[in-house]
Amino acid sequence: MARLSISEREKQYWSQRYIENRTCWDLGESSRPLVDYIDQLEDKSIKILIPGAGNAFEAEYLFNNGFKNVFVLDIAPEPLILFSQRNPNFPKTQLIEGDFFEHVNLYDLIIEQTFFCSFPPKIETRKRYAKKMNTLLQSNGKLVGLWFNIPLKGDLEKRPFGGDKKEYLSYLSPWFNVKTFENAYNSVESRLGKELFGVFEKKHR
Ligand SMILES: C[S@@+](CC[C@H](N)C(=O)[O-])C[C@H]1O[C@@H](n2cnc3c(N)ncnc32)[C@H](O)[C@@H]1O
């Protein structure tokens, strides 16, 4: 039997979780810290990517609030299909089924939420994520989002894979100027005190 590539294995893993409804990460609505960030954006023409978007409630919020240049990327087709059913007017060409690490394009803003923590926490993968985020941004582009501030345990079956501010900065600061990176004060109750809100501006190297 042919061996599956890493992308194909990941796709199968995540598809299966959606098929079995094992989506405990899903808030079922837009996350408050991200909504508050979005609400203060003035330029609605910016090109935005949400990678590992899942059900992508933030993309829905953006789109319904006048941001039309929003792209949703996920390796699993199931949440993209559901998103499209919920949002029939959202352009299909802006729903991308694919692997983040293979995706090529340039954005002004990338939004992170429970995506970093979904990868098996190898140092190499975490470094690769930071570098890839940088290469997907236009000059002065921003990576904005939430990263869990919870201990990383040894159990490789237990997502979300945690980390702390110091560790995240070790991956992100080579590629980004840190505008803010603090405990979110406006998280949903279940995540209060457990997530960092960050705004990182692309560094030129
Ligand atoms: C923990 S879920 C989070 C989903 C969403 N961000 C949320 O907060 O509800 C991780 C998501 O990343 C997607 N994913 C995992 N690896 C990926 C990759 N390499 N490229 C694109 N999407 C990926 C999964 O299919 C899944 O939808």
Side-chain angles (χ1 to χ4, degrees):
M1 201 166 76
R3 285 180 62 189
L4 292 178
S5 68
I6 295 175
S7 269
E8 285 160 341
R9 277 206 309 271
E10 289 297 304
K11 178 177 169 161
Q12 280 193 353
Y13 171 82
W14 289 103
S15 277
Q16 202 53 34
R17 293 207 53 159
Y18 283 103
I19 290 164
E20 292 171 5
N21 253 325
R22 291 192 297 122
T23 54
C24 47
W25 60 80
D26 194 325
L27 292 175
E29 61 180 1
S30 309
S31 143
R32 173 55 51 193
L34 296 177
V35 166
D36 285 354
Y37 178 78
I38 290 164
D39 284 349
Q40 55 78 53
L41 291 173
E42 286 172 5
D43 182 358
K44 299 204 173 187
S45 71
I46 57 172
K47 188 168 168 189
I48 304 174
L49 174 69
I50 309 187
N55 283 316
F57 295 104
E58 291 75 20
E60 193 167 324
Y61 183 80
L62 281 160
F63 194 69
N64 290 337
N65 283 280
F67 294 84
K68 299 300 177 200
N69 214 358
V70 180
F71 292 75
V72 173
L73 169 71
D74 206 285
I75 203 163
E78 290 76 11
L80 298 177
I81 294 166
L82 288 176
F83 182 91
S84 194
Q85 288 166 356
R86 285 201 321 271
N87 300 282
N89 295 328
F90 192 94
K92 307 277 179 281
T93 49
Q94 288 168 221
L95 290 174
I96 307 162
E97 182 188 328
D99 185 343
F100 162 76
F101 291 106
E102 290 169 12
H103 182 62
V104 180
N105 211 325
L106 280 176
Y107 299 91
D108 300 302
L109 171 65
I110 303 182
I111 294 181
E112 154 71 45
Q113 178 171 236
T114 62
F115 180 47
F116 178 94
C117 68
S118 71
F119 299 112
K122 293 190 196 131
I123 291 176
E124 273 322 297
T125 312
R126 292 185 158 194
K127 284 186 175 168
R128 208 173 148 219
Y129 161 100
K131 183 177 179 185
K132 184 69 188 172
M133 285 293 186
N134 174 289
T135 59
L136 285 170
L137 285 165
Q138 310 263 20
S139 104
N140 303 323
K142 289 194 183 98
L143 167 64
V144 173
L146 296 156
W147 286 261
F148 276 122
N149 191 10
I150 54 173
L152 177 57
K153 304 207 179 86
D155 187 343
L156 281 187
E157 291 307 312
K158 291 249 166 73
R159 288 172 168 86
F161 298 121
D164 58 35
K165 184 171 173 176
K166 188 168 164 231
E167 192 200 345
Y168 296 135
L169 287 176
S170 75
Y171 306 122
L172 293 167
S173 349
W175 300 102
F176 294 94
N177 295 315
V178 184
K179 296 290 168 191
T180 182
F181 198 32
E182 298 300 333
N183 271 316
Y185 63 88
N186 47 359
S187 304
V188 288
E189 208 181 322
S190 58
R191 294 185 186 171
L192 201 57
K194 295 184 197 152
E195 59 185 7
L196 295 153
F197 175 75
V199 176
F200 300 91
E201 195 175 76
K202 177 176 169 128
K203 218 181 226 185
H204 296 280
R205 297 170 34 119

